[in-house]
Amino acid sequence: RPRAMAAKASLTVAIDGRHQAWLDAMAAKHGLPDRGKTLRCCVMYCIASGSAPPVTAAPEPGARCAPSVVALAPSQLAYVTGLAERAGADPSRAVDAICALCAAADDGAVFGVVRCKTAGELPPGTDPSAIACEGAQEALRRQAGGA
């Protein structure tokens, strides 16, 4: 059944080019339309798994940061800006930290739920049995550390 699309806010970030390349590669691998959708998956993974990546105030040494505009749902924007504010950093650094955490995780767990076209805004602790798609159920079990 059709869902109402939540309004998204644009956020301009200057993130590490390596993370931009990783986001683009994951978009291609998982059939996602663009870098923004890929980042939204990463933010939802962090929220759903309870992961709070460590955010630094400055880019990694040697990082070549380039501006990128991404669209985030209000709850996703609040998560990103909250991470940045707690670290006394720019939202760009929070996006870099989210990308680094997700790049180190199993990409099936990070992107599996969204690939199944679930509600997208999964609250922490979502019961995998409440999601109809088997792929989403498996991804949520992986996020929760289950087998």
Side-chain angles (χ1 to χ4, degrees):
R1 96 187 137 184
R3 290 182 336 141
M5 297 301 281
K8 293 182 178 65
S10 293
L11 176 67
T12 301
V13 291
I15 60 174
D16 188 325
R18 295 170 290 192
H19 293 148
Q20 290 188 24
W22 178 81
L23 287 168
D24 293 342
M26 291 298 101
K29 180 177 180 180
H30 294 285
L32 301 171
D34 55 39
R35 185 181 294 158
K37 179 67 172 181
T38 310
L39 178 61
R40 289 191 296 277
C41 291
C42 291
V43 172
M44 290 313 304
Y45 169 78
C46 290
I47 292 170
S49 66
S51 301
V55 178
T56 59
E60 291 181 24
R64 295 183 183 266
C65 298
S68 183
V69 178
V70 294
L72 298 173
S75 63
Q76 297 164 339
L77 181 61
Y79 178 81
V80 170
T81 57
L83 282 176
E85 287 170 5
R86 286 190 293 282
D90 181 89
S92 299
R93 302 295 59 81
V95 170
D96 271 334
I98 289 166
C99 290
L101 184 140
C102 291
D106 173 56
D107 66 283
V110 175
F111 301 103
V113 174
V114 175
R115 272 199 321 254
C116 291
K117 306 289 186 208
T118 64
E121 297 274 343
L122 296 172
T126 298
D127 178 5
S129 65
I131 307 295
C133 172
E134 275 185 46
Q137 290 177 17
E138 176 60 27
L140 286 168
R141 281 192 291 275
R142 285 176 165 168
Q143 287 179 5

